[in-house]
Amino acid sequence: MDRSTKLHFMNRIDDKLSELPWYVTEYIDSRKRKLAHTTLLNYCHDYIIFFDWLVTEQSSAASRKDVGLNQLEILTVREVENFLSFLEYQLGNNKYTINRKLSALKSLFDYLQNKAETQDLKPYIQRNVMAKMEFNSVNETQETIANRIEGKILREDDFEHFRQFVAHDYGIQNKANARISRFHEINRERDTAIVSLILGSGLRLSEVAGINLEDLDVIKGQVRVLRKGNKEQYVYFSKQALWDLESYLKIRESRYGAEKSEHYLFMAAPIGRKGKSRRLTPRSIEKLIEKYAAAYGKPALTVHSLRHSFATRYHLENNDVPRLKNQLGHSSIQTTMIYTHLTDEEMRNAVNNMDKSKSE
C-alpha cells in the first residue's frame, strides 16, 4: 500500500474517530502499527454501531462521543446479549459478522482493562463485561461451507463468457441507453482488466485496489501485493490477465488523464471539468462487479466469489493445495481445503466419463 493510499485510509479513520469517545481514539492509535488500515476502519464502523445502540438504549449520553468509561463498566451481560440480538434481528447480521463485531469490542475492552493506564497507574475500567461474552458457535464443516459457496462462483466456460460480457456484451445489451453505453465504452478495458486479474490470480478486493504501476512485473506475470498482516508477496496472474492489463495500460494515461505522479494502477475517471483522476476505491470495484453480475444474470457474483472461482479452477486443474494456499495468501491450509470439496462434483463427473468411455 503506497503512501497516498495509507493517507486516504488514515483520513477516513480519523473522520470516524472524531465521532467516537476519546478512549476509542487512543485504542486505535495503539493498534496502527500492528493492524491493517482496512481492519482499523472496520473496527471504527463496528464501534459506531455499538455506541449508537448504547445511546439509544441507555439514554445517559447525548451522543456516542459522550459515552463515558463508567457506562462501559456497568454494562451487564444481559444488555450485551440484547445488543448481539439487535445485530442479528434488527440489522440482519449473520453469525460470522456478529462474531467479528464482538471480537472488535473484546479487543477494545481488553485494552481499557489490561493495557491502558491512568496517571496514577490504574486501569481505565475495573470490570470488563466483554470478557464474559462467548462467540457464536459456528460448526459448519468445510463441505458445508463449500456447498454454500457453490452457487456463487463461475465454472469452466463461464470464466471467458463473463470476461467477454464485461468487455463487449454489456455495451451491446445497453446500446439503447446512450449514457450507459458511453460509460461502458470509456471503462471497458479497465473493468475487463480487473475481472481478468481476479479470475486469473485470486487476489482479494483490497489487494486489487491497492496495486501501483511499479507493483506489476509483466515479464514474470507477477504483481506485488500487501496481504493480511501487512505481509508483502509477489503473486502470479494468468496470461489472459496479462493481455487485458496490457490493453488497459495502453489507454490508461490518455483515457483517465493520469499524471506521472499518479502511480495507482486502476483509476477512476475525473469528475467535472477541473476534476482530477483518482484511485479506484475498493467500494467502486465492488459496485462495478455487482453491476456486471446483475446484468449477466448472476447477481450473487461478487469480488470474493470471483476469488473463489479462481481457487476452485486452480485446484481442479492442478490439485496442489500448498501452492494454492500460498497463491491465495491463506494463513492456514485448513482454509484452502474448502476448495477440495468444491471440486467433488467435477471429480464425480470425471469418474463417470471414464466408465462411459469403457462401455463404448
Side-chain angles (χ1 to χ4, degrees), residues 141-165:
T141 64
Q142 289 176 341
E143 190 168 1
T144 303
I145 296 171
N147 289 335
R148 180 158 46 82
I149 296 170
E150 176 84 31
K152 301 178 182 180
I153 63 174
L154 297 174
R155 299 282 195 172
E156 302 172 351
D157 293 342
D158 283 343
F159 270 63
E160 182 56 20
H161 288 161
F162 185 61
R163 180 192 159 276
Q164 283 291 334
F165 181 81

mmCIF file of all heavy atoms in Angstrom, residues 141-165:
data_model
loop_
_atom_site.group_PDB
_atom_site.id
_atom_site.type_symbol
_atom_site.label_atom_id
_atom_site.label_comp_id
_atom_site.label_asym_id
_atom_site.label_seq_id
_atom_site.Cartn_x
_atom_site.Cartn_y
_atom_site.Cartn_z
ATOM 1 N N THR A 141 -18.968 -27.512 8.655
ATOM 2 C CA THR A 141 -17.839 -28.278 8.152
ATOM 3 C C THR A 141 -17.330 -27.608 6.881
ATOM 4 O O THR A 141 -17.997 -26.761 6.294
ATOM 5 C CB THR A 141 -18.250 -29.719 7.826
ATOM 6 O OG1 THR A 141 -19.221 -29.678 6.748
ATOM 7 C CG2 THR A 141 -18.851 -30.404 9.037
ATOM 8 N N GLN A 142 -16.157 -28.018 6.448
ATOM 9 C CA GLN A 142 -15.619 -27.477 5.201
ATOM 10 C C GLN A 142 -16.541 -27.793 4.029
ATOM 11 O O GLN A 142 -16.717 -26.975 3.123
ATOM 12 C CB GLN A 142 -14.232 -28.059 4.949
ATOM 13 C CG GLN A 142 -13.176 -27.525 5.907
ATOM 14 C CD GLN A 142 -11.834 -28.198 5.699
ATOM 15 O OE1 GLN A 142 -11.760 -29.267 5.109
ATOM 16 N NE2 GLN A 142 -10.778 -27.584 6.197
ATOM 17 N N GLU A 143 -17.161 -28.964 4.065
ATOM 18 C CA GLU A 143 -18.072 -29.342 2.982
ATOM 19 C C GLU A 143 -19.310 -28.457 2.977
ATOM 20 O O GLU A 143 -19.815 -28.075 1.918
ATOM 21 C CB GLU A 143 -18.466 -30.812 3.123
ATOM 22 C CG GLU A 143 -19.215 -31.345 1.919
ATOM 23 C CD GLU A 143 -19.346 -32.853 1.944
ATOM 24 O OE1 GLU A 143 -18.875 -33.488 2.907
ATOM 25 O OE2 GLU A 143 -19.924 -33.391 0.988
ATOM 26 N N THR A 144 -19.809 -28.108 4.180
ATOM 27 C CA THR A 144 -20.973 -27.232 4.278
ATOM 28 C C THR A 144 -20.647 -25.852 3.722
ATOM 29 O O THR A 144 -21.437 -25.255 2.988
ATOM 30 C CB THR A 144 -21.432 -27.102 5.748
ATOM 31 O OG1 THR A 144 -21.712 -28.399 6.269
ATOM 32 C CG2 THR A 144 -22.679 -26.234 5.843
ATOM 33 N N ILE A 145 -19.468 -25.340 4.092
ATOM 34 C CA ILE A 145 -19.033 -24.038 3.582
ATOM 35 C C ILE A 145 -18.909 -24.091 2.070
ATOM 36 O O ILE A 145 -19.316 -23.177 1.351
ATOM 37 C CB ILE A 145 -17.691 -23.630 4.225
ATOM 38 C CG1 ILE A 145 -17.855 -23.447 5.744
ATOM 39 C CG2 ILE A 145 -17.161 -22.339 3.601
ATOM 40 C CD1 ILE A 145 -16.554 -23.263 6.484
ATOM 41 N N ALA A 146 -18.335 -25.191 1.567
ATOM 42 C CA ALA A 146 -18.165 -25.350 0.127
ATOM 43 C C ALA A 146 -19.518 -25.341 -0.584
ATOM 44 O O ALA A 146 -19.670 -24.717 -1.638
ATOM 45 C CB ALA A 146 -17.422 -26.647 -0.166
ATOM 46 N N ASN A 147 -20.494 -26.020 -0.006
ATOM 47 C CA ASN A 147 -21.828 -26.065 -0.615
ATOM 48 C C ASN A 147 -22.478 -24.687 -0.637
ATOM 49 O O ASN A 147 -23.227 -24.349 -1.555
ATOM 50 C CB ASN A 147 -22.725 -27.047 0.142
ATOM 51 C CG ASN A 147 -22.320 -28.499 -0.089
ATOM 52 O OD1 ASN A 147 -21.717 -28.820 -1.103
ATOM 53 N ND2 ASN A 147 -22.630 -29.365 0.857
ATOM 54 N N ARG A 148 -22.183 -23.888 0.389
ATOM 55 C CA ARG A 148 -22.735 -22.535 0.443
ATOM 56 C C ARG A 148 -22.119 -21.646 -0.642
ATOM 57 O O ARG A 148 -22.775 -20.778 -1.214
ATOM 58 C CB ARG A 148 -22.479 -21.947 1.841
ATOM 59 C CG ARG A 148 -23.006 -20.544 2.033
ATOM 60 C CD ARG A 148 -23.207 -20.217 3.498
ATOM 61 N NE ARG A 148 -22.077 -20.607 4.313
ATOM 62 C CZ ARG A 148 -20.966 -19.882 4.466
ATOM 63 N NH1 ARG A 148 -20.824 -18.749 3.806
ATOM 64 N NH2 ARG A 148 -19.987 -20.286 5.260
ATOM 65 N N ILE A 149 -20.857 -21.871 -0.915
ATOM 66 C CA ILE A 149 -20.157 -21.092 -1.932
ATOM 67 C C ILE A 149 -20.548 -21.532 -3.337
ATOM 68 O O ILE A 149 -20.554 -20.744 -4.272
ATOM 69 C CB ILE A 149 -18.624 -21.236 -1.741
ATOM 70 C CG1 ILE A 149 -18.191 -20.646 -0.389
ATOM 71 C CG2 ILE A 149 -17.861 -20.560 -2.874
ATOM 72 C CD1 ILE A 149 -16.753 -20.963 -0.042
ATOM 73 N N GLU A 150 -20.893 -22.813 -3.457
ATOM 74 C CA GLU A 150 -21.096 -23.485 -4.746
ATOM 75 C C GLU A 150 -21.855 -22.661 -5.775
ATOM 76 O O GLU A 150 -21.422 -22.505 -6.914
ATOM 77 C CB GLU A 150 -21.837 -24.811 -4.516
ATOM 78 C CG GLU A 150 -22.206 -25.579 -5.777
ATOM 79 C CD GLU A 150 -21.050 -26.420 -6.276
ATOM 80 O OE1 GLU A 150 -20.252 -26.884 -5.448
ATOM 81 O OE2 GLU A 150 -20.964 -26.596 -7.499
ATOM 82 N N GLY A 151 -23.015 -22.137 -5.402
ATOM 83 C CA GLY A 151 -23.854 -21.446 -6.370
ATOM 84 C C GLY A 151 -23.431 -20.026 -6.664
ATOM 85 O O GLY A 151 -24.091 -19.335 -7.431
ATOM 86 N N LYS A 152 -22.337 -19.570 -6.073
ATOM 87 C CA LYS A 152 -21.928 -18.181 -6.219
ATOM 88 C C LYS A 152 -20.625 -18.023 -6.991
ATOM 89 O O LYS A 152 -19.997 -16.967 -6.947
ATOM 90 C CB LYS A 152 -21.764 -17.538 -4.834
ATOM 91 C CG LYS A 152 -23.030 -17.567 -3.989
ATOM 92 C CD LYS A 152 -22.790 -16.961 -2.627
ATOM 93 C CE LYS A 152 -24.041 -17.018 -1.757
ATOM 94 N NZ LYS A 152 -23.806 -16.436 -0.420
ATOM 95 N N ILE A 153 -20.203 -19.058 -7.709
ATOM 96 C CA ILE A 153 -18.934 -18.986 -8.424
ATOM 97 C C ILE A 153 -19.124 -19.289 -9.902
ATOM 98 O O ILE A 153 -20.150 -19.813 -10.318
ATOM 99 C CB ILE A 153 -17.893 -19.950 -7.819
ATOM 100 C CG1 ILE A 153 -18.352 -21.400 -7.952
ATOM 101 C CG2 ILE A 153 -17.596 -19.598 -6.379
ATOM 102 C CD1 ILE A 153 -17.318 -22.411 -7.501
ATOM 103 N N LEU A 154 -18.102 -18.949 -10.669
ATOM 104 C CA LEU A 154 -18.086 -19.251 -12.098
ATOM 105 C C LEU A 154 -17.427 -20.602 -12.321
ATOM 106 O O LEU A 154 -16.493 -20.978 -11.617
ATOM 107 C CB LEU A 154 -17.311 -18.171 -12.858
ATOM 108 C CG LEU A 154 -17.887 -16.754 -12.822
ATOM 109 C CD1 LEU A 154 -16.928 -15.791 -13.494
ATOM 110 C CD2 LEU A 154 -19.264 -16.702 -13.470
ATOM 111 N N ARG A 155 -17.888 -21.313 -13.340
ATOM 112 C CA ARG A 155 -17.373 -22.639 -13.664
ATOM 113 C C ARG A 155 -16.913 -22.698 -15.112
ATOM 114 O O ARG A 155 -17.534 -22.102 -15.992
ATOM 115 C CB ARG A 155 -18.442 -23.713 -13.454
ATOM 116 C CG ARG A 155 -18.950 -23.837 -12.031
ATOM 117 C CD ARG A 155 -17.978 -24.583 -11.174
ATOM 118 N NE ARG A 155 -18.570 -25.015 -9.919
ATOM 119 C CZ ARG A 155 -17.986 -25.806 -9.060
ATOM 120 N NH1 ARG A 155 -16.793 -26.290 -9.322
ATOM 121 N NH2 ARG A 155 -18.564 -26.145 -7.937
ATOM 122 N N GLU A 156 -15.865 -23.397 -15.371
ATOM 123 C CA GLU A 156 -15.394 -23.764 -16.703
ATOM 124 C C GLU A 156 -15.533 -22.618 -17.706
ATOM 125 O O GLU A 156 -14.874 -21.601 -17.606
ATOM 126 C CB GLU A 156 -16.139 -25.027 -17.176
ATOM 127 C CG GLU A 156 -15.944 -26.214 -16.228
ATOM 128 C CD GLU A 156 -16.828 -27.392 -16.576
ATOM 129 O OE1 GLU A 156 -17.705 -27.248 -17.437
ATOM 130 O OE2 GLU A 156 -16.623 -28.471 -15.970
ATOM 131 N N ASP A 157 -16.429 -22.774 -18.703
ATOM 132 C CA ASP A 157 -16.572 -21.780 -19.767
ATOM 133 C C ASP A 157 -17.094 -20.436 -19.263
ATOM 134 O O ASP A 157 -16.980 -19.422 -19.972
ATOM 135 C CB ASP A 157 -17.516 -22.297 -20.859
ATOM 136 C CG ASP A 157 -16.924 -23.484 -21.620
ATOM 137 O OD1 ASP A 157 -15.699 -23.665 -21.543
ATOM 138 O OD2 ASP A 157 -17.695 -24.216 -22.272
ATOM 139 N N ASP A 158 -17.677 -20.404 -18.060
ATOM 140 C CA ASP A 158 -18.204 -19.153 -17.513
ATOM 141 C C ASP A 158 -17.120 -18.099 -17.350
ATOM 142 O O ASP A 158 -17.397 -16.896 -17.408
ATOM 143 C CB ASP A 158 -18.871 -19.395 -16.147
ATOM 144 C CG ASP A 158 -20.250 -20.014 -16.291
ATOM 145 O OD1 ASP A 158 -20.803 -19.951 -17.401
ATOM 146 O OD2 ASP A 158 -20.762 -20.557 -15.308
ATOM 147 N N PHE A 159 -15.877 -18.547 -17.136
ATOM 148 C CA PHE A 159 -14.779 -17.599 -16.975
ATOM 149 C C PHE A 159 -14.705 -16.675 -18.186
ATOM 150 O O PHE A 159 -14.730 -15.451 -18.069
ATOM 151 C CB PHE A 159 -13.444 -18.348 -16.817
ATOM 152 C CG PHE A 159 -13.088 -18.681 -15.399
ATOM 153 C CD1 PHE A 159 -13.891 -19.527 -14.660
ATOM 154 C CD2 PHE A 159 -11.939 -18.169 -14.819
ATOM 155 C CE1 PHE A 159 -13.570 -19.854 -13.360
ATOM 156 C CE2 PHE A 159 -11.604 -18.484 -13.512
ATOM 157 C CZ PHE A 159 -12.424 -19.334 -12.783
ATOM 158 N N GLU A 160 -14.594 -17.283 -19.370
ATOM 159 C CA GLU A 160 -14.447 -16.494 -20.587
ATOM 160 C C GLU A 160 -15.757 -15.813 -20.966
ATOM 161 O O GLU A 160 -15.746 -14.685 -21.479
ATOM 162 C CB GLU A 160 -13.965 -17.383 -21.741
ATOM 163 C CG GLU A 160 -13.742 -16.644 -23.050
ATOM 164 C CD GLU A 160 -12.781 -15.469 -22.941
ATOM 165 O OE1 GLU A 160 -11.976 -15.417 -21.976
ATOM 166 O OE2 GLU A 160 -12.830 -14.589 -23.822
ATOM 167 N N HIS A 161 -16.885 -16.465 -20.709
ATOM 168 C CA HIS A 161 -18.177 -15.849 -21.012
ATOM 169 C C HIS A 161 -18.364 -14.557 -20.231
ATOM 170 O O HIS A 161 -18.806 -13.542 -20.786
ATOM 171 C CB HIS A 161 -19.328 -16.815 -20.689
ATOM 172 C CG HIS A 161 -19.425 -17.953 -21.650
ATOM 173 N ND1 HIS A 161 -20.109 -19.117 -21.355
ATOM 174 C CD2 HIS A 161 -18.929 -18.122 -22.898
ATOM 175 C CE1 HIS A 161 -20.022 -19.950 -22.380
ATOM 176 N NE2 HIS A 161 -19.314 -19.364 -23.332
ATOM 177 N N PHE A 162 -18.040 -14.588 -18.932
ATOM 178 C CA PHE A 162 -18.215 -13.399 -18.100
ATOM 179 C C PHE A 162 -17.226 -12.313 -18.516
ATOM 180 O O PHE A 162 -17.577 -11.121 -18.573
ATOM 181 C CB PHE A 162 -18.036 -13.749 -16.621
ATOM 182 C CG PHE A 162 -18.321 -12.593 -15.693
ATOM 183 C CD1 PHE A 162 -19.579 -12.010 -15.658
ATOM 184 C CD2 PHE A 162 -17.337 -12.091 -14.859
ATOM 185 C CE1 PHE A 162 -19.857 -10.937 -14.815
ATOM 186 C CE2 PHE A 162 -17.597 -11.034 -14.009
ATOM 187 C CZ PHE A 162 -18.855 -10.451 -13.983
ATOM 188 N N ARG A 163 -16.003 -12.717 -18.816
ATOM 189 C CA ARG A 163 -14.999 -11.754 -19.271
ATOM 190 C C ARG A 163 -15.455 -11.069 -20.561
ATOM 191 O O ARG A 163 -15.364 -9.852 -20.707
ATOM 192 C CB ARG A 163 -13.667 -12.466 -19.479
ATOM 193 C CG ARG A 163 -12.560 -11.559 -19.957
ATOM 194 C CD ARG A 163 -11.332 -12.315 -20.430
ATOM 195 N NE ARG A 163 -10.567 -11.450 -21.295
ATOM 196 C CZ ARG A 163 -10.814 -11.283 -22.592
ATOM 197 N NH1 ARG A 163 -11.798 -11.947 -23.167
ATOM 198 N NH2 ARG A 163 -10.077 -10.448 -23.299
ATOM 199 N N GLN A 164 -15.959 -11.844 -21.502
ATOM 200 C CA GLN A 164 -16.450 -11.290 -22.765
ATOM 201 C C GLN A 164 -17.660 -10.381 -22.541
ATOM 202 O O GLN A 164 -17.838 -9.378 -23.234
ATOM 203 C CB GLN A 164 -16.828 -12.426 -23.724
ATOM 204 C CG GLN A 164 -15.655 -13.106 -24.403
ATOM 205 C CD GLN A 164 -14.957 -12.193 -25.406
ATOM 206 O OE1 GLN A 164 -15.555 -11.278 -25.954
ATOM 207 N NE2 GLN A 164 -13.680 -12.436 -25.618
ATOM 208 N N PHE A 165 -18.466 -10.737 -21.558
ATOM 209 C CA PHE A 165 -19.642 -9.914 -21.249
ATOM 210 C C PHE A 165 -19.202 -8.538 -20.768
ATOM 211 O O PHE A 165 -19.754 -7.514 -21.179
ATOM 212 C CB PHE A 165 -20.500 -10.596 -20.186
ATOM 213 C CG PHE A 165 -21.739 -9.827 -19.842
ATOM 214 C CD1 PHE A 165 -22.863 -9.899 -20.653
ATOM 215 C CD2 PHE A 165 -21.785 -9.029 -18.711
ATOM 216 C CE1 PHE A 165 -24.012 -9.167 -20.351
ATOM 217 C CE2 PHE A 165 -22.920 -8.301 -18.399
ATOM 218 C CZ PHE A 165 -24.043 -8.373 -19.217
#
